[in-house]
């Protein structure tokens, strides 16, 4: 291995990949992942996230750009020599082997002595709560148990980097929630640097120290989850991460303050370099909308649908201009369908763009 990059654990520099049919899967991506960090890559199907992971692993070769591990250029290093652990959605366990044999497999082909193999496998099985399953075969395990075995098999080789490609997609919702917590706990305890690919926005928000949002082969925004949610860089990020109300209107000045008139409401504008008459897009989340206190009304609307979600009531409001606004109200709210109500938006939570962004 030759060449030096930065001191990041993983670094991609201007990486691109085009397939034979002309599809640009990865488009000039640069990315740094720090030691011990769990970076979640999220985006719609076909955005390039799995191809990016495969380039990091060495299973796919980039057309242009470089890949560094610990500052060392591994672009030309084959996958089997990169010391990378990979966990797939399909588990990919050997059906003819027991749990402990599956976990030890990577150590066995590396010629690690049997006693050392058993010790390392045993430690991981205890950590992942599958010690009692050591002598079962994959067909005797639940989906969650199989995924724990696949994770133990990837970790037992003590990889420099762990790559996870949609590892929880095949599991039911409750089990996914449990394994997210378990996975994060184990990775932090071991100090593993990990790249986690998912199309599930909530999963990315829960598990990632930072999130990289991809679209059409590009990294659109890389940031901590709170900034991705509250300060999305583009309209695409705002629409993809969480539920979003977006409205476009024209700026107007009144009493020394700027407002954006979106037709059904006039909202006070967050900081902007634009002036009166110019267009602006504003974002607000459902939890930023509430029933209006006297004198605080921003708009009126008729509730068309109500969904009780336990800790909140999600209502779909039709404004007099025909726009739909989604609001999350306290679960004890007494509201009825086909009834008009006044609403207000938390002005401190409004976010805006000076122009439409992709």
């Amino acid at each position: 291995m030759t060449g030096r990059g930065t001191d990041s654990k993983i670094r991609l520099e201007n990486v691109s990949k085009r397939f034979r049919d002309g599809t640009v899967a990865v488009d000039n991506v640069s990315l740094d992942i720090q030691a011990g960090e769990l970076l979640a890559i999220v985006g719609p199907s076909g955005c390039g996230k799995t191809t990016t992971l495969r380039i990091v692993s060495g299973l796919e070769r980039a057309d242009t750009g470089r890949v560094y591990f610990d500052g060392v250029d591994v672009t030309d290093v084959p996958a089997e020599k990169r010391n990378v652990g990979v966990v797939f959605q399909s588990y990919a366990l050997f059906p003819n082997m027991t749990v402990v044999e599956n976990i030890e497999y990577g150590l066995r082909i590396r010629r690690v002595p049997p006693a050392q193999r058993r010790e390392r496998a045993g430690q991981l099985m205890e950590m992942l709560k599958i010690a009692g399953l050591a002598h079962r075969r994959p067909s005797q395990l639940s989906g969650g148990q199989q995924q724990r075995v696949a994770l133990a098999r990837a970790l037992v080789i003590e990889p420099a980097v762990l790559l996870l490609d949609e590892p929880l997609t095949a599991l039911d919702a409750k089990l996914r929630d449990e394994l997210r917590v378990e996975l994060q706990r184990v990775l932090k305890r071991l100090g593993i640097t990990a790249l986690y690919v998912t199309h599930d926005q909530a999963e990315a928000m829960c598990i990632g120290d930072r999130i990289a949002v991809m679209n059409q082969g590009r990294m659109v925004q890389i940031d901590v989850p709170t900034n991705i949610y509250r300060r999305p860089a583009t309209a695409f990020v705002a629409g993809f991460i969480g539920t979003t109300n977006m409205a476009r209107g024209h700026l107007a000045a009144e009493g020394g303050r700027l407002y954006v008139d979106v037709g059904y409401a006039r909202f006070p504008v967050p900081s902007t370099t634009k002036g009166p008459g110019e267009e602006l897009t504003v974002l607000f989340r459902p939890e930023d909308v509430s029933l209006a206190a006297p004198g605080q009304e921003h708009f009126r609307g008729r509730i068309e649908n109500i969904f009780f979600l336990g800790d909140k009531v999600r209502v779909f409001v039709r404004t007099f201009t025909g726009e739909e606004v989604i609001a999350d109200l306290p679960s004890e709210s007494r509201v009825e369908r086909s009834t008009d109500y006044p609403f207000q938006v938390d002005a401190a939570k409004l976010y805006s763009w000076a122009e439409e962004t992709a």
Side-chain angles (χ1 to χ4, degrees):
M1 303 182 196
T2 59
R4 303 296 298 182
T6 70
D7 59 359
S8 301
K9 187 68 178 184
I10 305 172
R11 180 172 176 78
L12 304 185
E13 285 187 356
N14 307 117
V15 168
S16 295
K17 177 67 180 182
R18 181 189 296 268
F19 292 124
R20 290 182 178 179
D21 64 0
T23 301
V24 179
V26 180
D27 189 3
N28 197 36
V29 164
S30 293
L31 177 67
D32 284 283
I33 306 174
Q34 302 304 318
E37 182 179 30
L38 198 167
L39 180 77
I41 299 183
V42 65
S45 297
C47 72
K49 54 189 184 293
T50 293
T51 303
T52 300
L53 180 142
R54 288 175 61 82
I55 288 171
V56 173
S57 72
L59 295 172
E60 198 80 59
R61 182 174 177 82
D63 297 327
T64 61
R66 312 303 296 174
V67 180
Y68 297 91
F69 285 4
D70 287 324
V72 178
D73 190 342
V74 298
T75 308
D76 300 318
V77 176
E80 64 272 15
K81 294 185 179 180
R82 290 195 185 187
N83 191 25
V84 170
V86 184
V87 180
F88 299 102
Q89 176 184 342
S90 62
Y91 316 134
L93 301 177
F94 299 112
N96 60 324
M97 294 183 184
T98 64
V99 165
V100 70
E101 289 168 343
N102 265 282
I103 295 171
E104 290 183 3
Y105 180 77
L107 298 177
R108 185 156 57 85
I109 64 174
R110 287 168 173 78
R111 301 186 184 281
V112 174
Q116 192 175 344
R117 294 202 307 259
R118 288 298 163 104
E119 181 181 5
R120 282 161 63 176
Q123 290 172 347
L124 279 168
M125 286 190 291
E126 287 289 343
M127 194 180 300
L128 289 164
K129 302 175 184 177
I130 51 174
L133 308 176
H135 301 294
R136 294 189 187 180
R137 297 190 184 276
S139 61
Q140 298 172 300
L141 305 178
S142 68
Q145 290 168 337
Q146 290 184 59
Q147 194 58 283
R148 289 171 188 266
V149 175
L151 179 59
R153 185 179 62 182
L155 290 172
V156 78
I157 63 171
E158 298 179 346
V161 174
L162 181 66
L163 306 177
L164 304 107
D165 188 8
E166 306 267 12
L168 307 181
T169 300
L171 306 177
D172 64 59
K174 184 177 181 180
L175 189 52
R176 280 202 307 272
D177 289 344
E178 291 175 0
L179 281 183
R180 282 175 198 160
V181 175
E182 194 74 13
L183 178 60
Q184 197 172 54
R185 179 186 66 82
V186 170
L187 295 184
K188 292 304 176 185
R189 177 174 170 181
L190 296 174
I192 297 288
T193 304
L195 186 60
Y196 190 106
V197 163
T198 180
H199 68 275
D200 187 323
Q201 307 97 308
E203 189 164 276
M205 295 286 286
C206 289
I207 206 165
D209 296 318
R210 287 188 302 153
I211 298 172
V213 183
M214 285 194 79
N215 188 35
Q216 298 179 343
R218 291 181 174 269
M219 293 291 177
V220 184
Q221 184 174 1
I222 304 171
D223 211 330
V224 296
T226 51
N227 286 345
I228 292 285
Y229 187 77
R230 279 294 172 193
R231 298 189 64 82
T234 71
F236 170 79
V237 176
F240 189 78
I241 300 294
T243 303
T244 308
N245 296 299
M246 277 192 288
R248 189 161 179 80
H250 289 84
L251 285 166
E254 184 178 296
R257 298 188 62 185
L258 280 177
Y259 295 83
V260 59
D261 188 337
V262 300
Y264 63 86
R266 297 180 76 202
F267 296 122
V269 175
S271 59
T272 178
T273 59
K274 296 293 183 178
E278 297 189 78
E279 288 192 336
L280 196 74
T281 299
V282 291
L283 153 74
F284 53 98
R285 301 288 186 178
E287 64 269 24
D288 304 330
V289 186
S290 59
L291 293 171
Q296 300 297 313
E297 177 183 330
H298 284 123
F299 67 93
R300 293 188 69 85
R302 174 160 296 190
I303 293 180
E304 294 188 333
N305 282 297
I306 302 173
F307 296 99
F308 179 72
L309 301 177
D311 61 335
K312 62 190 175 187
V313 175
R314 174 158 289 184
V315 299
F316 291 77
V317 181
R318 186 67 60 186
T319 71
F320 73 90
T321 58
E323 301 292 333
E324 182 180 77
V325 175
I326 302 173
D328 286 344
L329 307 179
S331 59
E332 63 273 15
S333 298
R334 302 296 182 185
V335 291
E336 297 180 357
R337 288 184 180 86
S338 303
T339 304
D340 290 351
Y341 293 93
F343 293 91
Q344 66 186 89
V345 177
D346 185 346
K349 301 291 180 61
L350 282 167
Y351 190 65
S352 66
W353 295 282
E355 59 186 28
E356 196 68 51
T357 45

